[in-house]
Amino acid sequence: MRVTTGASLGLVATCSRGLEEVVAAELRGLGGADVVPGRGSVSFRGDERALVRANLWLRAASRVLLTLAEGPAGGRQALYELAAAIAWEELVAPGQTVVVDVAGRGSGFASAGFAALTVKDALVDRIRARRGNRPDVDRDDPDVRVHLHLAGERAALALDGTGEPLAHRGYRPRGGPAPLSESLAAGVLSLAGYDGSQPLVDPMCGTGTIAIEAALVATRSAPGLHRRFASERWRFLSAALLREEREAARARRRPARQPVVASDRDPRAVSAARHNAEAAGVAEVVRVERRELAALEPPGPGALIVANPPYGVRLGDAGALPELYRVLGDTLKARGAGCTAWLLVGEPELARRIGLRPQRRIVLFNGPIECRLLRFDLYRGDGHAPPDDAL
Ligand SMILES: C[S@@+](CC[C@H](N)C(=O)[O-])C[C@H]1O[C@@H](n2cnc3c(N)ncnc32)[C@H](O)[C@@H]1O
């Protein structure tokens, strides 16, 4: 495969399951062609600028891949041949290091590691045959990341243009207690129809991810503006392109038109959310408050209330959770009239304690955890408990 300026490239944006349509809509908005949602991914076509824009602007996707080859890979020989036909010498500059990441499952391989090794061998053999020396493997900080996707008897080989997942915007420290992924928070906001024209509050904000992502939407800020991408080390991609696109992204920023509020009962959460909003460049947009859920004050008529309450698998005292969900439902009824609430919940049993009938349920994945995003239209006097099979 040869990458020439302006050529139409086969590109793929990967994402959590449940967010494919959100990412597809984002890609169409960015001008992507032939946008086709798959399972945990969306394929599209575009030139190198489309790839750079996708990295900079996609909010709900995980990474952007440049497809190199697709074909049968029922065993070692077939996969080796598929990989050996790629002109790696044009993609990997002398002295550059490589790594092969693998996703999916192939029926012809007992281990994903063996499939990755097969691709690495094909790449190394081909470059050695042409240059007389081979690229080194660097697992931690490679110059070129090769992405192998296995699906039964077939494989797709791609370059990973993103590196660190797109969720890692750079405004939040990694590690520590498990907060919501930035991409999932952005996906939730998109599913909730948030576009910056509505007031928004997250009354259980934790590290502030939902409110910060909302502020990035409200200010039309590119989520990837302050980070680097794996494609920056590609020998065939002009550095000027990314500079231009970063510049254009800066120029698109605008002031927020409606309030964005984040609150939490825990002072450590409040201080983390403030710190993260500052790091994301939206401290002037997100109002962070220490507040009990029961004292919720929607920041305007028709506000969106978006939250991911604690659930047993990750955080919180499992015993106290049913009571918290009851308080959540009571609070929405008493204080949220005229608003729409969107809650990302992990356990149907807990969600029933809210005591309100959801108008919509969308299955999403927070890492490996299956969650439901529930929409509650909070009309005055709406207090119906859901039937048992509603969640
Ligand atoms: C799952 S975490 C939210 C994670 C958040 N989305 C993030 O990205 O970090 C739930 C949050 O709810 C807060 N919380 C629990 N009970 C609360 C209450 N009664 N009032 C306000 N906040 C509460 C916890 O302090 C915790 O920060």
Side-chain angles (χ1 to χ4, degrees):
M1 122 133 231
R2 230 168 255 274
V3 181
T4 48
T5 310
S8 168
L9 306 169
L11 302 167
V12 174
T14 65
C15 61
S16 297
R17 275 190 292 143
L19 292 182
E20 295 90 346
E21 290 297 339
V22 169
V23 172
E26 288 193 86
L27 285 167
R28 289 187 196 105
L30 291 172
D34 301 339
V35 175
V36 182
R39 191 177 145 87
S41 67
V42 183
S43 62
F44 65 109
R45 296 199 72 84
D47 59 10
E48 320 93 279
R49 194 176 290 277
L51 181 141
V52 167
R53 277 193 187 150
N55 261 336
L56 263 183
W57 281 99
L58 284 179
R59 299 182 192 278
S62 305
R63 57 184 69 249
V64 184
L65 309 173
L66 165 59
T67 303
L68 301 173
E70 271 178 280
R76 186 180 190 280
Q77 188 59 27
L79 181 60
Y80 186 95
E81 282 168 18
L82 186 70
I86 295 169
W88 296 109
E89 63 282 4
E90 291 176 13
L91 304 173
V92 182
Q96 282 195 314
T97 56
V98 298
V99 79
V100 180
D101 297 323
V102 57
R105 200 175 287 178
S107 47
F109 296 90
S111 82
F114 182 62
L117 198 62
T118 302
V119 171
K120 191 268 295 171
D121 287 346
L123 180 157
V124 162
D125 293 349
R126 176 161 176 143
I127 292 186
R128 193 195 286 111
R130 281 167 173 75
R131 277 193 202 136
N133 57 35
R134 53 156 287 176
D136 286 333
V137 171
D138 182 342
R139 279 177 213 294
D140 299 325
D141 188 28
D143 295 310
V144 178
R145 272 186 183 278
V146 178
H147 186 91
L148 165 64
H149 185 257
L150 296 168
E153 300 251 303
R154 297 192 66 82
L157 280 157
L159 290 188
D160 175 359
T162 299
E164 282 270 300
L166 290 175
H168 298 189
R169 322 282 203 221
Y171 64 71
R172 201 177 76 183
R174 312 312 309 175
L180 188 63
S181 135
E182 294 85 335
S183 308
L184 182 54
V188 163
L189 289 165
S190 172
L191 290 165
Y194 180 74
D195 61 5
S197 66
Q198 314 91 325
L200 180 134
V201 58
D202 176 355
M204 307 171 97
C205 73
T207 60
T209 317
I210 292 172
I212 292 169
E213 290 297 319
L216 293 175
V217 171
T219 54
R220 222 162 47 192
S221 303
L225 195 57
H226 303 296
R227 54 157 286 168
R228 306 195 69 86
F229 303 105
S231 65
E232 289 175 62
R233 297 205 213 167
W234 290 354
R235 65 185 309 193
F236 52 87
L237 200 75
S238 127
L241 201 56
L242 186 59
R243 269 202 307 277
E244 280 167 32
E245 288 298 323
R246 281 210 168 101
E247 213 42 58
R250 275 190 201 97
R252 277 182 62 77
R253 284 200 77 182
R254 64 171 189 197
R257 295 172 181 167
Q258 292 287 344
V260 178
V261 179
S263 60
D264 202 289
R265 76 191 306 183
D266 180 348
R268 286 165 307 178
V270 169
S271 107
R274 282 210 180 104
H275 181 271
N276 294 341
E278 178 84 40
V282 291
E284 78 288 4
V285 180
V286 183
R287 198 169 83 224
V288 185
E289 297 172 347
R290 184 171 176 201
R291 185 187 283 272
E292 267 295 330
L293 169 65
L296 169 73
E297 269 182 35
L304 286 177
I305 302 167
V306 186
N308 94 290
Y311 44 87
V313 185
R314 286 194 160 191
L315 292 169
D317 170 10
L321 287 177
E323 173 60 10
L324 176 64
Y325 279 68
R326 192 190 59 71
V327 171
L328 178 55
D330 288 354
T331 304
L332 293 177
K333 277 181 253 176
R335 307 180 71 103
C339 301
T340 304
W342 291 81
L343 304 176
L344 185 67
V345 298
E347 290 166 30
E349 190 45 52
L350 280 175
R352 280 196 193 92
R353 304 294 177 125
I354 296 169
L356 286 165
R357 180 196 298 277
Q359 271 73 38
R360 231 186 127 186
R361 284 184 304 275
I362 302 170
V363 173
L364 294 174
F365 286 82
N366 189 11
I369 304 169
E370 185 178 317
C371 305
R372 278 167 185 73
L373 178 63
L374 306 178
R375 185 183 98 203
F376 300 95
D377 296 331
L378 304 168
Y379 306 112
R380 272 169 225 286
D382 180 0
H384 306 297
D388 279 353
D389 61 353
L391 295 169

